[in-house]
Amino acid sequence: MAETVYLNGKFMSSSQARLSIFDHGFLYGYGLFETMRAYDRHIFRLDRHLARLHRSAEILGFGHKLAAFDLKAACAEILDANRLKDARIRITVSAGEGDVLPDPSTCGSPTVLISAENLVPPPSEKYLSGFKAVLSSLRRNSQSPLSQLKSLCYVENILARTQARAAGCDEAILLNEQGFVAEGTTTNIFLVSKGELITPSLDSGALPGITREAVLEIAQASGIKVQERRVELKELTEAEEAFVTNSIIELMPLTSFENKPIGTGKPGQLTRKLLAAYRNLVTETLR
């Protein structure tokens, strides 16, 4: 059976879905997306993903139009339509069709696309060996509103990710324009120093990640001291352990940076503890 997608309020085969060539998401990258993970038909923290999407749409000026769509129901139905239990779900929205000039005020209704596919998570062996990362030559502009949005303007992330692949690594770490650590291409980053959990503050240019938020909540509830602040690059290279997060990989140990081991070069104790706690949190939401 062909994959079913949700497009502008209707479910249809992906082969039948059509977008306007004058869609501002296509012409100018004027749009947003969210990637979520479903566990046994339950989309983890769906409400928080949707809240972030709506906040971001307000910043781009079409949040009031997006409110006309029942995205929560559509996300649940897309799993049913594709008979999926464990899945990757993506919501893509744009300002919609408009004039060929870069003027979003000419756009009418937003374009809303939701798709889902079967998720094969990273193998357990990967969580034992961890990710390898490289330093990207690109910089994140912490002063830009785009650093706080999951925008369709994703070229920088793709270029940095290409650098990582060329270096034989899993991820690239981006600094901001001031030289402080911001984030990975698709991940937030955490490090451990003297038993404390440290992550770049949002004003460093880090995306307000949903998994990042969950990790901070878990750590604080567990009595782990947490710091959200500017992080110097040398702190990463000298860290006792590190990990990266997103909705699909959950918490992935970061064991190598620039071909040098982080800590012992193996997943650290606190990383393993937080990963287990995160998975327990997921399990609790399924009950």
Side-chain angles (χ1 to χ4, degrees), residues 102-122:
D103 181 1
S105 69
T106 65
C107 297
S109 178
T111 295
V112 179
L113 173 66
I114 305 177
S115 59
E117 61 183 9
N118 185 54
L119 175 68
V120 179

Side-chain angles (χ1 to χ4, degrees), residues 86-136:
D86 299 319
R88 177 199 299 262
I89 304 98
R90 173 170 164 138
I91 305 175
T92 307
V93 301
S94 78
E97 182 179 5
D99 194 274
V100 72
L101 297 175
D103 181 1
S105 69
T106 65
C107 297
S109 178
T111 295
V112 179
L113 173 66
I114 305 177
S115 59
E117 61 183 9
N118 185 54
L119 175 68
V120 179
S124 57
E125 293 80 9
K126 195 62 179 176
Y127 290 91
L128 298 176
S129 61
F131 268 12
K132 297 178 180 180
V134 66
L135 181 65
S136 174

Side-chain angles (χ1 to χ4, degrees), residues 127-180:
Y127 290 91
L128 298 176
S129 61
F131 268 12
K132 297 178 180 180
V134 66
L135 181 65
S136 174
S137 62
L138 300 169
R139 295 293 181 103
R140 180 71 75 229
N141 181 2
S142 65
Q143 304 304 306
S144 169
L146 290 181
S147 68
Q148 300 297 299
L149 308 179
K150 285 189 73 70
S151 163
L152 297 183
C153 300
Y154 219 63
V155 175
E156 280 188 354
N157 299 63
I158 293 172
L159 291 176
R161 195 169 179 82
T162 300
Q163 291 177 338
R165 295 292 184 263
C169 293
D170 306 284
E171 180 62 297
I173 303 302
L174 293 95
L175 306 181
N176 66 19
E177 77 284 0
Q178 302 172 51
F180 293 102

Side-chain angles (χ1 to χ4, degrees), residues 2-247:
E3 178 189 5
T4 299
V5 300
Y6 171 97
L7 179 61
N8 298 333
K10 298 180 180 180
F11 290 90
M12 63 189 72
S13 167
S14 59
S15 62
Q16 297 175 323
R18 297 289 184 270
L19 299 178
S20 168
I21 60 172
F22 298 113
D23 189 288
H24 276 216
F26 170 69
L27 292 178
Y28 301 111
Y30 200 81
L32 306 158
F33 73 98
E34 289 285 333
T35 302
M36 302 162 291
R37 180 168 171 174
Y39 301 81
D40 193 23
R41 305 176 69 81
H42 177 85
I43 303 174
F44 185 63
R45 297 209 161 185
L46 172 59
D47 288 343
R48 301 202 188 192
H49 279 281
L50 294 180
R52 181 174 65 179
L53 180 66
H54 282 287
R55 287 195 303 269
S56 299
E58 289 290 341
I59 292 172
L60 293 188
F62 58 85
H64 62 293
K65 297 179 181 178
L66 193 59
F69 296 87
D70 189 345
L71 299 180
K72 185 173 184 178
C75 286
E77 290 179 39
I78 199 71
L79 293 176
D80 291 338
N82 288 286
R83 300 179 182 178
L84 294 172
K85 291 186 176 181
D86 299 319
R88 177 199 299 262
I89 304 98
R90 173 170 164 138
I91 305 175
T92 307
V93 301
S94 78
E97 182 179 5
D99 194 274
V100 72
L101 297 175
D103 181 1
S105 69
T106 65
C107 297
S109 178
T111 295
V112 179
L113 173 66
I114 305 177
S115 59
E117 61 183 9
N118 185 54
L119 175 68
V120 179
S124 57
E125 293 80 9
K126 195 62 179 176
Y127 290 91
L128 298 176
S129 61
F131 268 12
K132 297 178 180 180
V134 66
L135 181 65
S136 174
S137 62
L138 300 169
R139 295 293 181 103
R140 180 71 75 229
N141 181 2
S142 65
Q143 304 304 306
S144 169
L146 290 181
S147 68
Q148 300 297 299
L149 308 179
K150 285 189 73 70
S151 163
L152 297 183
C153 300
Y154 219 63
V155 175
E156 280 188 354
N157 299 63
I158 293 172
L159 291 176
R161 195 169 179 82
T162 300
Q163 291 177 338
R165 295 292 184 263
C169 293
D170 306 284
E171 180 62 297
I173 303 302
L174 293 95
L175 306 181
N176 66 19
E177 77 284 0
Q178 302 172 51
F180 293 102
V181 177
E183 59 184 358
T185 63
T186 62
T187 60
N188 288 113
I189 184 168
F190 290 80
L191 57 93
V192 178
S193 179
K194 298 179 181 179
E196 296 180 359
L197 187 63
I198 302 167
T199 192
S201 54
L202 298 182
D203 62 10
S204 297
L207 180 79
I210 303 302
T211 308
R212 174 186 185 274
E213 181 182 56
V215 170
L216 292 174
E217 291 174 4
I218 291 168
Q220 291 164 355
S222 303
I224 299 167
K225 187 173 181 180
V226 177
Q227 296 186 49
E228 295 181 73
R229 58 169 174 79
R230 292 179 174 180
V231 177
E232 296 185 13
L233 182 59
K234 69 176 183 179
E235 293 184 77
L236 175 58
T237 60
E238 297 173 358
E240 297 160 9
E241 52 185 288
F243 59 90
V244 293
T245 64
N246 69 30
S247 294

